[in-house]
Amino acid sequence: MFRKIRKIKNELSPERTKEVLHKAARGVLCLHGDDGYPYGFPLNYVYDEENQALYFHGTKTGYKIDCIEKDPKACFTAILEEGISEDGWSKITSSVVAYGLVEEITDQDFAREAMVRLAKKYYPNVDLVHENMEAGFKNTKMLAFHIAYMTGKKVNER
């Protein structure tokens, strides 16, 4: 159902692919948008390796939510810049492309836990996480992207 990576020599191991998902700061989620156009948008996320899911948040209404309700199938891409190659100018990057389904996390305890995990990835300390959590949780919808298939790839961009 999902295509295999074409250049096998660039394929990352499953362990390295998961590491890229843990380390990358942001990714792009692509959904089926209006009139057949794709809708891709950057987002902060946290990877739950045990459940093979990504967690992210959004407002309770809007275009993203409309797209997910219409069709929960999605594609997610994360890119991790690894540095400059030996030639001194070309970049080395690793990327992950994942396919799966997006759904709202309806269990409020689990949604709160997912939001804390997400915040801990980006906030400099736990006090700020809890301070902002109380103010933002009631106005936020937590979403899960359940990974059905993913591949990782390392590229020297020259």
Side-chain angles (χ1 to χ4, degrees), residues 21-151:
L21 276 181
H22 281 296
K23 287 184 174 181
R26 287 170 187 73
V28 176
L29 185 71
C30 295
L31 302 166
H32 293 104
D34 293 342
D35 300 320
Y37 285 97
Y39 173 49
F41 56 95
L43 54 80
N44 295 339
Y45 72 94
V46 65
Y47 175 47
D48 179 350
E49 190 172 335
E50 182 180 334
N51 291 312
Q52 283 302 293
L54 306 174
Y55 305 128
F56 58 97
H57 66 78
T59 59
K60 292 190 176 194
T61 61
Y63 189 35
K64 174 174 44 183
I65 300 303
D66 293 346
C67 291
I68 292 166
E69 288 174 352
K70 182 172 60 177
D71 185 354
K73 290 181 185 172
C75 178
F76 179 83
T77 302
I79 299 171
L80 181 64
E81 291 192 14
E82 310 249 34
I84 303 295
S85 67
E86 292 177 8
D87 62 21
W89 63 271
S90 57
K91 290 186 178 184
I92 299 171
T93 60
S94 291
S95 63
V96 174
V97 175
Y99 300 90
L101 299 174
V102 180
E103 71 173 356
E104 178 183 357
I105 301 172
T106 56
D107 177 323
Q108 290 303 295
D109 291 334
F110 190 79
R112 187 176 290 278
E113 179 186 318
M115 189 176 200
V116 168
R117 288 178 70 175
L118 175 65
K120 282 181 177 179
K121 181 176 177 182
Y122 296 97
Y123 282 78
N125 63 58
V126 177
D127 292 336
L128 279 175
V129 169
H130 294 295
E131 178 182 315
N132 287 292
M133 177 84 176
E134 293 311 313
F137 187 72
K138 67 179 183 256
N139 299 318
T140 300
K141 185 177 279 204
M142 287 303 296
L143 301 157
F145 173 79
H146 300 285
I147 300 169
Y149 179 78
M150 69 179 168
T151 58

Side-chain angles (χ1 to χ4, degrees), residues 5-12 152-155 158:
I5 194 166
R6 193 171 52 84
K7 289 189 176 180
I8 295 296
K9 68 177 185 157
N10 293 343
E11 187 174 23
L12 298 177
K153 178 175 159 181
K154 186 168 189 162
V155 177
R158 50 176 181 150

